[in-house]
Amino acid sequence: MNDLYELKDIRCFLSIARAGSISRAATTYNIPKATLSHHLRRLEDALRVELFVRKAKGLELTDAGKEFLDHSSIIFDSCENAVSAAQRAHSIISGRIRIVASSAFGTSLIGAAAQYFAAHNPQIDFDLQMYPNDKIIAGQFDFDCMIFVGDPPTSSLMRRKMGDVSFGLYASPHFIERNGMPTTLDEINRCDGVVYMRNGLPELWRLRQGQRIVNLNPHARFNVNEYWMAKYFAVEGLVIGYLPDFFVRYEVEQKGLVPILAEWRSDDTPVYALYPHHRHRNPRIMKLVDSMCSQFDEFVRSPGYRAVRIDYGQG
């Protein structure tokens, strides 16, 4: 190939691919936009292919760009592995880890995991991003590790199960005071609820007692696409929520939420750590995965953020 390119061109391409746009890459990695554009243009000229197409929300990788991303990432992974091997000889783990997570519980799980790992590895830096499940697997993300809630679709990614979460029904004492304590499933169906929208579809309130399985259908007073918003409306006493136990443990302990029909439980939902196969040799990434799997119960016991009801306007 007559046209030459440098590793700097590839590194700029990776920065743009990770950020999703030249502007975001410039801000995230503190590289002038003109520099990023120059190196991307030189790389595309050298390869004689278009690596990105412009979309309304940024840049999208072409098929050629996806292939180039997969293979070019290995170059820098190999460099990082060499550095990690040298550092391991001196018991030092440093560098930056890119973690993506399902937006379902991303703030709780990814925050608790990163906080724990950062405390034990002070020379590690983090890039943390959250995306909906449908985009996180099909997306064009370059990452070291992914936290995925649910059963991930078949892919080339390696996986390790971190643990399970389960759901139940919860309401605040204020809701119960105004509406009474529901004692049957039919009463739940007549109550106001907050419904999580998963990929544009309402999440089923699917519960089990022994061999009996039911799908509840409360009045969806609020449709939301974020569990923190769902918990907020439940704590405020406006609705019943179908929420994971770990996510409301603090609120239940503080009497901000009360379990409803506690004998009815959802089936367990698994949580996985996924990572590209070539990261398996990176001690920094494997130490992170080991930590997230071994400490999962601790993470879900203390997600770090809590919802507390405030009576506005009262003295």
Side-chain angles (χ1 to χ4, degrees), residues 17 44 81 96 99 114 197 290 293:
E44 289 183 323
N81 289 340
R96 181 171 294 274
I99 310 175
M197 302 298 290
D290 290 342
C293 293

Side-chain angles (χ1 to χ4, degrees), residues 282-296:
N282 188 313
R284 182 171 66 248
I285 307 308
M286 296 319 301
K287 187 175 182 180
L288 170 71
V289 173
D290 290 342
S291 174
M292 292 196 302
C293 293
S294 64
Q295 299 297 320
F296 179 77

Side-chain angles (χ1 to χ4, degrees), residues 19-315:
S21 77
I22 292 176
S23 295
R24 285 195 292 272
T27 301
T28 302
Y29 300 104
N30 194 29
I31 304 173
K33 289 197 296 184
T35 300
L36 291 167
S37 297
H38 167 73
H39 286 290
L40 176 59
R41 184 168 58 253
R42 186 165 69 175
L43 181 61
E44 289 183 323
D45 289 344
L47 299 177
R48 296 188 177 92
V49 296
E50 189 176 48
L51 299 173
F52 294 99
V53 292
R54 292 191 175 276
K55 297 289 185 177
K57 295 184 178 180
L59 296 177
E60 182 176 297
L61 286 166
T62 62
D63 290 341
K66 294 176 185 177
E67 288 292 329
F68 192 76
L69 175 63
D70 290 340
H71 292 283
S72 61
S73 297
I74 298 174
I75 298 172
F76 294 99
D77 290 336
S78 296
C79 294
E80 290 181 2
N81 289 340
V83 172
S84 295
Q87 291 175 338
R88 188 169 59 234
H90 296 280
S91 301
I92 297 172
I93 296 292
S94 66
R96 181 171 294 274
I97 296 179
R98 301 180 298 274
I99 310 175
V100 298
S102 302
S103 56
F105 310 112
T107 303
S108 297
L109 295 180
I110 199 173
Q115 187 277 335
Y116 176 88
F117 198 68
H120 292 80
N121 300 275
Q123 297 189 55
I124 293 290
D125 298 320
F126 299 85
D127 288 336
L128 309 176
Q129 301 290 333
M130 292 178 289
Y131 301 94
N133 271 13
D134 61 329
K135 294 182 179 179
I136 202 171
I137 285 291
Q140 306 158 11
F141 312 118
D142 184 33
F143 59 87
D144 297 311
C145 184
M146 173 192 298
I147 300 175
F148 191 90
V149 179
D151 290 308
T154 302
S155 72
S156 62
L157 296 173
M158 301 187 75
R159 67 177 68 182
R160 282 181 59 185
K161 186 176 180 181
M162 296 170 59
D164 294 293
V165 296
S166 61
F167 290 66
L169 301 174
Y170 295 91
S172 79
H174 304 281
F175 181 92
I176 295 170
E177 182 180 345
R178 290 197 305 271
N179 300 279
M181 171 67 83
T183 57
T184 68
L185 298 175
D186 287 339
E187 289 182 46
I188 299 293
N189 282 331
R190 293 194 293 270
C191 288
D192 288 338
V194 55
V195 176
Y196 178 79
M197 302 298 290
R198 189 181 300 279
N199 304 331
L201 299 175
E203 179 178 58
L204 287 176
W205 288 25
R206 185 178 178 84
L207 296 170
R208 175 193 294 272
Q209 184 184 32
Q211 297 300 312
R212 188 182 174 196
I213 300 175
V214 297
N215 292 323
L216 298 181
N217 186 32
H219 170 245
R221 187 172 185 195
F222 297 98
N223 288 331
V224 301
N225 67 347
E226 211 279 332
Y227 277 109
W228 276 100
M229 187 65 68
K231 180 163 66 172
Y232 170 81
F233 288 126
V235 169
E236 284 295 311
L238 302 175
V239 290
I240 291 177
Y242 177 76
L243 297 164
D245 301 325
F246 86 90
F247 196 55
V248 296
R249 179 175 282 111
Y250 174 85
E251 290 77 16
V252 171
E253 291 175 352
Q254 299 300 314
K255 311 301 181 185
L257 288 175
V258 177
I260 307 296
L261 299 177
E263 67 275 14
W264 287 92
R265 310 289 313 142
S266 76
D267 290 332
D268 287 340
T269 298
V271 181
Y272 285 93
L274 308 178
Y275 54 95
H277 65 89
H278 55 272
R279 301 296 203 273
H280 189 68
R281 298 185 300 275
N282 188 313
R284 182 171 66 248
I285 307 308
M286 296 319 301
K287 187 175 182 180
L288 170 71
V289 173
D290 290 342
S291 174
M292 292 196 302
C293 293
S294 64
Q295 299 297 320
F296 179 77
D297 289 341
E298 181 64 27
F299 297 157
V300 298
R301 273 199 299 270
S302 181
Y305 296 90
R306 288 96 176 188
V308 179
R309 185 175 186 273
I310 300 174
D311 292 316
Y312 296 101
Q314 297 187 11

